[in-house]
PDB file of all heavy atoms in Angstrom:
ATOM      1  N   ASN W  11      -3.153  11.645 -20.197  1.00  0.00           N
ATOM      2  CA  ASN W  11      -1.716  11.364 -20.195  1.00  0.00           C
ATOM      3  C   ASN W  11      -1.136  11.483 -18.783  1.00  0.00           C
ATOM      4  O   ASN W  11      -0.322  10.647 -18.360  1.00  0.00           O
ATOM      5  CB  ASN W  11      -0.990  12.329 -21.135  1.00  0.00           C
ATOM      6  CG  ASN W  11      -1.282  12.043 -22.591  1.00  0.00           C
ATOM      7  OD1 ASN W  11      -1.638  10.921 -22.943  1.00  0.00           O
ATOM      8  ND2 ASN W  11      -1.160  13.050 -23.436  1.00  0.00           N
ATOM      9  N   MET W  12      -1.548  12.518 -18.077  1.00  0.00           N
ATOM     10  CA  MET W  12      -1.027  12.730 -16.727  1.00  0.00           C
ATOM     11  C   MET W  12      -1.403  11.574 -15.807  1.00  0.00           C
ATOM     12  O   MET W  12      -0.573  11.047 -15.060  1.00  0.00           O
ATOM     13  CB  MET W  12      -1.562  14.044 -16.150  1.00  0.00           C
ATOM     14  CG  MET W  12      -1.008  15.287 -16.815  1.00  0.00           C
ATOM     15  SD  MET W  12       0.797  15.293 -16.877  1.00  0.00           S
ATOM     16  CE  MET W  12       1.190  14.850 -15.211  1.00  0.00           C
ATOM     17  N   LEU W  13      -2.662  11.184 -15.852  1.00  0.00           N
ATOM     18  CA  LEU W  13      -3.113  10.101 -14.976  1.00  0.00           C
ATOM     19  C   LEU W  13      -2.422   8.786 -15.323  1.00  0.00           C
ATOM     20  O   LEU W  13      -2.068   8.000 -14.433  1.00  0.00           O
ATOM     21  CB  LEU W  13      -4.630   9.934 -15.081  1.00  0.00           C
ATOM     22  CG  LEU W  13      -5.483  11.095 -14.566  1.00  0.00           C
ATOM     23  CD1 LEU W  13      -6.968  10.754 -14.697  1.00  0.00           C
ATOM     24  CD2 LEU W  13      -5.153  11.431 -13.116  1.00  0.00           C
ATOM     25  N   GLN W  14      -2.228   8.544 -16.603  1.00  0.00           N
ATOM     26  CA  GLN W  14      -1.582   7.294 -17.008  1.00  0.00           C
ATOM     27  C   GLN W  14      -0.143   7.241 -16.508  1.00  0.00           C
ATOM     28  O   GLN W  14       0.324   6.205 -16.026  1.00  0.00           O
ATOM     29  CB  GLN W  14      -1.629   7.160 -18.526  1.00  0.00           C
ATOM     30  CG  GLN W  14      -1.167   5.798 -19.026  1.00  0.00           C
ATOM     31  CD  GLN W  14      -1.542   5.573 -20.480  1.00  0.00           C
ATOM     32  OE1 GLN W  14      -2.446   6.204 -21.009  1.00  0.00           O
ATOM     33  NE2 GLN W  14      -0.835   4.653 -21.123  1.00  0.00           N
ATOM     34  N   ILE W  15       0.561   8.356 -16.610  1.00  0.00           N
ATOM     35  CA  ILE W  15       1.950   8.393 -16.146  1.00  0.00           C
ATOM     36  C   ILE W  15       2.029   8.207 -14.635  1.00  0.00           C
ATOM     37  O   ILE W  15       2.904   7.504 -14.117  1.00  0.00           O
ATOM     38  CB  ILE W  15       2.610   9.719 -16.568  1.00  0.00           C
ATOM     39  CG1 ILE W  15       2.774   9.758 -18.088  1.00  0.00           C
ATOM     40  CG2 ILE W  15       3.970   9.880 -15.904  1.00  0.00           C
ATOM     41  CD1 ILE W  15       3.226  11.093 -18.620  1.00  0.00           C
ATOM     42  N   MET W  16       1.100   8.825 -13.912  1.00  0.00           N
ATOM     43  CA  MET W  16       1.124   8.744 -12.444  1.00  0.00           C
ATOM     44  C   MET W  16       0.569   7.427 -11.913  1.00  0.00           C
ATOM     45  O   MET W  16       0.671   7.141 -10.727  1.00  0.00           O
ATOM     46  CB  MET W  16       0.330   9.907 -11.848  1.00  0.00           C
ATOM     47  CG  MET W  16       0.921  11.281 -12.134  1.00  0.00           C
ATOM     48  SD  MET W  16       2.560  11.495 -11.410  1.00  0.00           S
ATOM     49  CE  MET W  16       2.127  11.643  -9.679  1.00  0.00           C
ATOM     50  N   GLY W  17      -0.044   6.620 -12.785  1.00  0.00           N
ATOM     51  CA  GLY W  17      -0.655   5.373 -12.335  1.00  0.00           C
ATOM     52  C   GLY W  17       0.332   4.432 -11.669  1.00  0.00           C
ATOM     53  O   GLY W  17       0.005   3.757 -10.689  1.00  0.00           O
ATOM     54  N   HIS W  18       1.560   4.364 -12.202  1.00  0.00           N
ATOM     55  CA  HIS W  18       2.575   3.491 -11.611  1.00  0.00           C
ATOM     56  C   HIS W  18       2.841   3.891 -10.164  1.00  0.00           C
ATOM     57  O   HIS W  18       2.953   3.032  -9.271  1.00  0.00           O
ATOM     58  CB  HIS W  18       3.863   3.557 -12.421  1.00  0.00           C
ATOM     59  CG  HIS W  18       5.012   2.850 -11.786  1.00  0.00           C
ATOM     60  ND1 HIS W  18       5.205   1.490 -11.876  1.00  0.00           N
ATOM     61  CD2 HIS W  18       6.020   3.316 -11.001  1.00  0.00           C
ATOM     62  CE1 HIS W  18       6.291   1.146 -11.197  1.00  0.00           C
ATOM     63  NE2 HIS W  18       6.808   2.239 -10.656  1.00  0.00           N
ATOM     64  N   PHE W  19       2.951   5.184  -9.916  1.00  0.00           N
ATOM     65  CA  PHE W  19       3.205   5.643  -8.557  1.00  0.00           C
ATOM     66  C   PHE W  19       2.023   5.328  -7.640  1.00  0.00           C
ATOM     67  O   PHE W  19       2.208   4.939  -6.487  1.00  0.00           O
ATOM     68  CB  PHE W  19       3.477   7.149  -8.551  1.00  0.00           C
ATOM     69  CG  PHE W  19       3.673   7.719  -7.182  1.00  0.00           C
ATOM     70  CD1 PHE W  19       4.869   7.544  -6.500  1.00  0.00           C
ATOM     71  CD2 PHE W  19       2.643   8.410  -6.550  1.00  0.00           C
ATOM     72  CE1 PHE W  19       5.032   8.051  -5.227  1.00  0.00           C
ATOM     73  CE2 PHE W  19       2.801   8.921  -5.283  1.00  0.00           C
ATOM     74  CZ  PHE W  19       4.001   8.746  -4.611  1.00  0.00           C
ATOM     75  N   ILE W  20       0.793   5.486  -8.147  1.00  0.00           N
ATOM     76  CA  ILE W  20      -0.391   5.168  -7.351  1.00  0.00           C
ATOM     77  C   ILE W  20      -0.373   3.704  -6.931  1.00  0.00           C
ATOM     78  O   ILE W  20      -0.594   3.367  -5.763  1.00  0.00           O
ATOM     79  CB  ILE W  20      -1.678   5.476  -8.149  1.00  0.00           C
ATOM     80  CG1 ILE W  20      -1.796   6.972  -8.436  1.00  0.00           C
ATOM     81  CG2 ILE W  20      -2.906   4.963  -7.419  1.00  0.00           C
ATOM     82  CD1 ILE W  20      -2.140   7.833  -7.259  1.00  0.00           C
ATOM     83  N   VAL W  21      -0.103   2.809  -7.873  1.00  0.00           N
ATOM     84  CA  VAL W  21      -0.076   1.374  -7.565  1.00  0.00           C
ATOM     85  C   VAL W  21       1.023   1.067  -6.561  1.00  0.00           C
ATOM     86  O   VAL W  21       0.829   0.286  -5.613  1.00  0.00           O
ATOM     87  CB  VAL W  21       0.100   0.546  -8.850  1.00  0.00           C
ATOM     88  CG1 VAL W  21       0.358  -0.921  -8.511  1.00  0.00           C
ATOM     89  CG2 VAL W  21      -1.126   0.676  -9.733  1.00  0.00           C
ATOM     90  N   SER W  22       2.196   1.648  -6.747  1.00  0.00           N
ATOM     91  CA  SER W  22       3.298   1.434  -5.819  1.00  0.00           C
ATOM     92  C   SER W  22       2.919   1.878  -4.411  1.00  0.00           C
ATOM     93  O   SER W  22       3.224   1.191  -3.427  1.00  0.00           O
ATOM     94  CB  SER W  22       4.536   2.198  -6.299  1.00  0.00           C
ATOM     95  OG  SER W  22       5.595   2.068  -5.382  1.00  0.00           O
ATOM     96  N   THR W  23       2.211   2.994  -4.299  1.00  0.00           N
ATOM     97  CA  THR W  23       1.795   3.495  -2.983  1.00  0.00           C
ATOM     98  C   THR W  23       0.713   2.606  -2.379  1.00  0.00           C
ATOM     99  O   THR W  23       0.691   2.382  -1.164  1.00  0.00           O
ATOM    100  CB  THR W  23       1.295   4.942  -3.104  1.00  0.00           C
ATOM    101  OG1 THR W  23       2.280   5.731  -3.767  1.00  0.00           O
ATOM    102  CG2 THR W  23       1.040   5.538  -1.723  1.00  0.00           C
ATOM    103  N   LEU W  24      -0.179   2.088  -3.206  1.00  0.00           N
ATOM    104  CA  LEU W  24      -1.189   1.151  -2.705  1.00  0.00           C
ATOM    105  C   LEU W  24      -0.525  -0.111  -2.146  1.00  0.00           C
ATOM    106  O   LEU W  24      -0.968  -0.665  -1.129  1.00  0.00           O
ATOM    107  CB  LEU W  24      -2.164   0.777  -3.815  1.00  0.00           C
ATOM    108  CG  LEU W  24      -3.140   1.870  -4.270  1.00  0.00           C
ATOM    109  CD1 LEU W  24      -3.921   1.405  -5.493  1.00  0.00           C
ATOM    110  CD2 LEU W  24      -4.090   2.251  -3.141  1.00  0.00           C
ATOM    111  N   ARG W  25       0.528  -0.569  -2.811  1.00  0.00           N
ATOM    112  CA  ARG W  25       1.255  -1.734  -2.304  1.00  0.00           C
ATOM    113  C   ARG W  25       1.847  -1.445  -0.925  1.00  0.00           C
ATOM    114  O   ARG W  25       1.763  -2.261  -0.007  1.00  0.00           O
ATOM    115  CB  ARG W  25       2.373  -2.113  -3.263  1.00  0.00           C
ATOM    116  CG  ARG W  25       1.939  -2.798  -4.544  1.00  0.00           C
ATOM    117  CD  ARG W  25       3.174  -3.040  -5.399  1.00  0.00           C
ATOM    118  NE  ARG W  25       2.876  -3.699  -6.657  1.00  0.00           N
ATOM    119  CZ  ARG W  25       3.751  -3.812  -7.637  1.00  0.00           C
ATOM    120  NH1 ARG W  25       4.967  -3.293  -7.500  1.00  0.00           N
ATOM    121  NH2 ARG W  25       3.436  -4.413  -8.757  1.00  0.00           N
ATOM    122  N   ARG W  26       2.479  -0.276  -0.808  1.00  0.00           N
ATOM    123  CA  ARG W  26       3.070   0.088   0.485  1.00  0.00           C
ATOM    124  C   ARG W  26       1.991   0.230   1.546  1.00  0.00           C
ATOM    125  O   ARG W  26       2.180  -0.188   2.693  1.00  0.00           O
ATOM    126  CB  ARG W  26       3.861   1.394   0.354  1.00  0.00           C
ATOM    127  CG  ARG W  26       5.137   1.253  -0.453  1.00  0.00           C
ATOM    128  CD  ARG W  26       6.034   2.468  -0.306  1.00  0.00           C
ATOM    129  NE  ARG W  26       5.444   3.659  -0.887  1.00  0.00           N
ATOM    130  CZ  ARG W  26       5.125   4.749  -0.215  1.00  0.00           C
ATOM    131  NH1 ARG W  26       5.293   4.794   1.102  1.00  0.00           N
ATOM    132  NH2 ARG W  26       4.606   5.802  -0.827  1.00  0.00           N
ATOM    133  N   ARG W  27       0.859   0.808   1.180  1.00  0.00           N
ATOM    134  CA  ARG W  27      -0.260   0.921   2.127  1.00  0.00           C
ATOM    135  C   ARG W  27      -0.711  -0.447   2.622  1.00  0.00           C
ATOM    136  O   ARG W  27      -0.917  -0.660   3.825  1.00  0.00           O
ATOM    137  CB  ARG W  27      -1.429   1.634   1.450  1.00  0.00           C
ATOM    138  CG  ARG W  27      -2.667   1.803   2.326  1.00  0.00           C
ATOM    139  CD  ARG W  27      -3.928   1.882   1.491  1.00  0.00           C
ATOM    140  NE  ARG W  27      -4.161   0.626   0.774  1.00  0.00           N
ATOM    141  CZ  ARG W  27      -5.160   0.454  -0.089  1.00  0.00           C
ATOM    142  NH1 ARG W  27      -5.960   1.465  -0.377  1.00  0.00           N
ATOM    143  NH2 ARG W  27      -5.329  -0.713  -0.689  1.00  0.00           N
ATOM    144  N   ASN W  28      -0.862  -1.392   1.697  1.00  0.00           N
ATOM    145  CA  ASN W  28      -1.313  -2.734   2.076  1.00  0.00           C
ATOM    146  C   ASN W  28      -0.297  -3.424   2.979  1.00  0.00           C
ATOM    147  O   ASN W  28      -0.675  -4.137   3.916  1.00  0.00           O
ATOM    148  CB  ASN W  28      -1.558  -3.577   0.826  1.00  0.00           C
ATOM    149  CG  ASN W  28      -2.723  -3.067   0.009  1.00  0.00           C
ATOM    150  OD1 ASN W  28      -3.562  -2.311   0.515  1.00  0.00           O
ATOM    151  ND2 ASN W  28      -2.791  -3.451  -1.253  1.00  0.00           N
ATOM    152  N   LEU W  29       0.988  -3.226   2.684  1.00  0.00           N
ATOM    153  CA  LEU W  29       2.026  -3.831   3.512  1.00  0.00           C
ATOM    154  C   LEU W  29       2.004  -3.253   4.919  1.00  0.00           C
ATOM    155  O   LEU W  29       2.091  -3.993   5.905  1.00  0.00           O
ATOM    156  CB  LEU W  29       3.397  -3.609   2.874  1.00  0.00           C
ATOM    157  CG  LEU W  29       4.599  -4.144   3.665  1.00  0.00           C
ATOM    158  CD1 LEU W  29       4.479  -5.652   3.876  1.00  0.00           C
ATOM    159  CD2 LEU W  29       5.898  -3.803   2.956  1.00  0.00           C
ATOM    160  N   VAL W  30       1.863  -1.938   5.032  1.00  0.00           N
ATOM    161  CA  VAL W  30       1.807  -1.299   6.350  1.00  0.00           C
ATOM    162  C   VAL W  30       0.601  -1.813   7.136  1.00  0.00           C
ATOM    163  O   VAL W  30       0.698  -2.123   8.333  1.00  0.00           O
ATOM    164  CB  VAL W  30       1.743   0.235   6.202  1.00  0.00           C
ATOM    165  CG1 VAL W  30       1.390   0.892   7.535  1.00  0.00           C
ATOM    166  CG2 VAL W  30       3.071   0.769   5.691  1.00  0.00           C
ATOM    167  N   ARG W  31      -0.532  -1.935   6.457  1.00  0.00           N
ATOM    168  CA  ARG W  31      -1.737  -2.428   7.140  1.00  0.00           C
ATOM    169  C   ARG W  31      -1.553  -3.875   7.600  1.00  0.00           C
ATOM    170  O   ARG W  31      -1.993  -4.249   8.693  1.00  0.00           O
ATOM    171  CB  ARG W  31      -2.939  -2.325   6.202  1.00  0.00           C
ATOM    172  CG  ARG W  31      -3.394  -0.895   5.954  1.00  0.00           C
ATOM    173  CD  ARG W  31      -4.599  -0.857   5.026  1.00  0.00           C
ATOM    174  NE  ARG W  31      -5.061   0.509   4.823  1.00  0.00           N
ATOM    175  CZ  ARG W  31      -6.078   0.845   4.031  1.00  0.00           C
ATOM    176  NH1 ARG W  31      -6.739  -0.107   3.380  1.00  0.00           N
ATOM    177  NH2 ARG W  31      -6.433   2.109   3.892  1.00  0.00           N
ATOM    178  N   GLU W  32      -0.914  -4.676   6.761  1.00  0.00           N
ATOM    179  CA  GLU W  32      -0.691  -6.079   7.123  1.00  0.00           C
ATOM    180  C   GLU W  32       0.240  -6.189   8.328  1.00  0.00           C
ATOM    181  O   GLU W  32      -0.010  -6.966   9.255  1.00  0.00           O
ATOM    182  CB  GLU W  32      -0.108  -6.829   5.930  1.00  0.00           C
ATOM    183  CG  GLU W  32       0.108  -8.309   6.185  1.00  0.00           C
ATOM    184  CD  GLU W  32       0.672  -9.031   4.974  1.00  0.00           C
ATOM    185  OE1 GLU W  32       0.728  -8.429   3.884  1.00  0.00           O
ATOM    186  OE2 GLU W  32       1.061 -10.207   5.124  1.00  0.00           O
ATOM    187  N   LEU W  33       1.308  -5.400   8.323  1.00  0.00           N
ATOM    188  CA  LEU W  33       2.244  -5.424   9.449  1.00  0.00           C
ATOM    189  C   LEU W  33       1.583  -4.925  10.716  1.00  0.00           C
ATOM    190  O   LEU W  33       1.818  -5.457  11.817  1.00  0.00           O
ATOM    191  CB  LEU W  33       3.475  -4.577   9.110  1.00  0.00           C
ATOM    192  CG  LEU W  33       4.377  -5.114   7.996  1.00  0.00           C
ATOM    193  CD1 LEU W  33       5.477  -4.118   7.673  1.00  0.00           C
ATOM    194  CD2 LEU W  33       4.981  -6.454   8.395  1.00  0.00           C
ATOM    195  N   GLU W  34       0.757  -3.895  10.590  1.00  0.00           N
ATOM    196  CA  GLU W  34       0.054  -3.371  11.763  1.00  0.00           C
ATOM    197  C   GLU W  34      -0.920  -4.407  12.310  1.00  0.00           C
ATOM    198  O   GLU W  34      -1.024  -4.604  13.520  1.00  0.00           O
ATOM    199  CB  GLU W  34      -0.697  -2.091  11.401  1.00  0.00           C
ATOM    200  CG  GLU W  34      -1.351  -1.430  12.615  1.00  0.00           C
ATOM    201  CD  GLU W  34      -2.027  -0.128  12.253  1.00  0.00           C
ATOM    202  OE1 GLU W  34      -2.970  -0.155  11.430  1.00  0.00           O
ATOM    203  OE2 GLU W  34      -1.623   0.919  12.780  1.00  0.00           O
ATOM    204  N   GLN W  35      -1.626  -5.080  11.394  1.00  0.00           N
ATOM    205  CA  GLN W  35      -2.551  -6.118  11.822  1.00  0.00           C
ATOM    206  C   GLN W  35      -1.813  -7.235  12.552  1.00  0.00           C
ATOM    207  O   GLN W  35      -2.277  -7.740  13.586  1.00  0.00           O
ATOM    208  CB  GLN W  35      -3.295  -6.686  10.600  1.00  0.00           C
ATOM    209  CG  GLN W  35      -4.240  -7.841  10.897  1.00  0.00           C
ATOM    210  CD  GLN W  35      -5.427  -7.428  11.737  1.00  0.00           C
ATOM    211  OE1 GLN W  35      -5.790  -6.253  11.755  1.00  0.00           O
ATOM    212  NE2 GLN W  35      -6.025  -8.375  12.431  1.00  0.00           N
ATOM    213  N   MET W  36      -0.657  -7.626  12.039  1.00  0.00           N
ATOM    214  CA  MET W  36       0.120  -8.682  12.674  1.00  0.00           C
ATOM    215  C   MET W  36       0.625  -8.255  14.047  1.00  0.00           C
ATOM    216  O   MET W  36       0.659  -9.059  14.986  1.00  0.00           O
ATOM    217  CB  MET W  36       1.300  -9.069  11.780  1.00  0.00           C
ATOM    218  CG  MET W  36       0.899  -9.771  10.503  1.00  0.00           C
ATOM    219  SD  MET W  36       2.297 -10.043   9.388  1.00  0.00           S
ATOM    220  CE  MET W  36       3.328 -11.095  10.416  1.00  0.00           C
ATOM    221  N   SER W  37       1.002  -6.995  14.189  1.00  0.00           N
ATOM    222  CA  SER W  37       1.575  -6.534  15.454  1.00  0.00           C
ATOM    223  C   SER W  37       0.517  -6.289  16.518  1.00  0.00           C
ATOM    224  O   SER W  37       0.841  -6.209  17.695  1.00  0.00           O
ATOM    225  CB  SER W  37       2.388  -5.257  15.229  1.00  0.00           C
ATOM    226  OG  SER W  37       1.564  -4.202  14.805  1.00  0.00           O
ATOM    227  N   TYR W  38      -0.743  -6.178  16.106  1.00  0.00           N
ATOM    228  CA  TYR W  38      -1.802  -5.880  17.071  1.00  0.00           C
ATOM    229  C   TYR W  38      -2.818  -7.012  17.225  1.00  0.00           C
ATOM    230  O   TYR W  38      -3.840  -6.834  17.873  1.00  0.00           O
ATOM    231  CB  TYR W  38      -2.557  -4.604  16.672  1.00  0.00           C
ATOM    232  CG  TYR W  38      -1.807  -3.335  17.025  1.00  0.00           C
ATOM    233  CD1 TYR W  38      -1.012  -2.694  16.083  1.00  0.00           C
ATOM    234  CD2 TYR W  38      -1.888  -2.783  18.297  1.00  0.00           C
ATOM    235  CE1 TYR W  38      -0.316  -1.535  16.395  1.00  0.00           C
ATOM    236  CE2 TYR W  38      -1.203  -1.616  18.622  1.00  0.00           C
ATOM    237  CZ  TYR W  38      -0.423  -1.004  17.665  1.00  0.00           C
ATOM    238  OH  TYR W  38       0.266   0.149  17.988  1.00  0.00           O
ATOM    239  N   SER W  39      -2.555  -8.161  16.637  1.00  0.00           N
ATOM    240  CA  SER W  39      -3.545  -9.230  16.741  1.00  0.00           C
ATOM    241  C   SER W  39      -2.900 -10.547  17.120  1.00  0.00           C
ATOM    242  O   SER W  39      -1.732 -10.801  16.828  1.00  0.00           O
ATOM    243  CB  SER W  39      -4.304  -9.391  15.414  1.00  0.00           C
ATOM    244  OG  SER W  39      -3.445  -9.870  14.409  1.00  0.00           O
ATOM    245  N   ASP W  40      -3.697 -11.379  17.764  1.00  0.00           N
ATOM    246  CA  ASP W  40      -3.293 -12.743  18.083  1.00  0.00           C
ATOM    247  C   ASP W  40      -3.416 -13.574  16.817  1.00  0.00           C
ATOM    248  O   ASP W  40      -4.471 -13.576  16.155  1.00  0.00           O
ATOM    249  CB  ASP W  40      -4.209 -13.300  19.187  1.00  0.00           C
ATOM    250  CG  ASP W  40      -3.994 -14.776  19.415  1.00  0.00           C
ATOM    251  OD1 ASP W  40      -2.881 -15.143  19.815  1.00  0.00           O
ATOM    252  OD2 ASP W  40      -4.936 -15.559  19.181  1.00  0.00           O
ATOM    253  N   GLN W  41      -2.364 -14.287  16.458  1.00  0.00           N
ATOM    254  CA  GLN W  41      -2.332 -14.971  15.171  1.00  0.00           C
ATOM    255  C   GLN W  41      -3.316 -16.123  15.081  1.00  0.00           C
ATOM    256  O   GLN W  41      -3.781 -16.454  13.993  1.00  0.00           O
ATOM    257  CB  GLN W  41      -0.914 -15.469  14.882  1.00  0.00           C
ATOM    258  CG  GLN W  41       0.084 -14.349  14.681  1.00  0.00           C
ATOM    259  CD  GLN W  41      -0.354 -13.391  13.595  1.00  0.00           C
ATOM    260  OE1 GLN W  41      -0.474 -13.761  12.441  1.00  0.00           O
ATOM    261  NE2 GLN W  41      -0.607 -12.136  13.962  1.00  0.00           N
TER     262      GLN W  41
END
């Protein structure tokens, strides 16, 4: 039950992680 409830937060944090990585990649690489 605990893991299922916290799953939404985990996914939301993974999304933010991916966005940060994408922005960092864009700011440090030649397109």
Side-chain angles (χ1 to χ4, degrees):
N11 289 336
M12 290 308 312
L13 294 182
Q14 189 166 338
I15 292 172
M16 296 297 287
H18 172 82
F19 177 77
I20 296 288
V21 171
S22 177
T23 307
L24 289 173
R25 285 177 180 169
R26 290 193 294 118
R27 179 207 64 184
N28 293 341
L29 178 60
V30 168
R31 289 181 178 178
E32 182 179 350
L33 293 175
E34 185 177 62
Q35 177 67 23
M36 291 173 61
S37 65
Y38 282 96
S39 67
D40 171 63
Q41 294 305 297

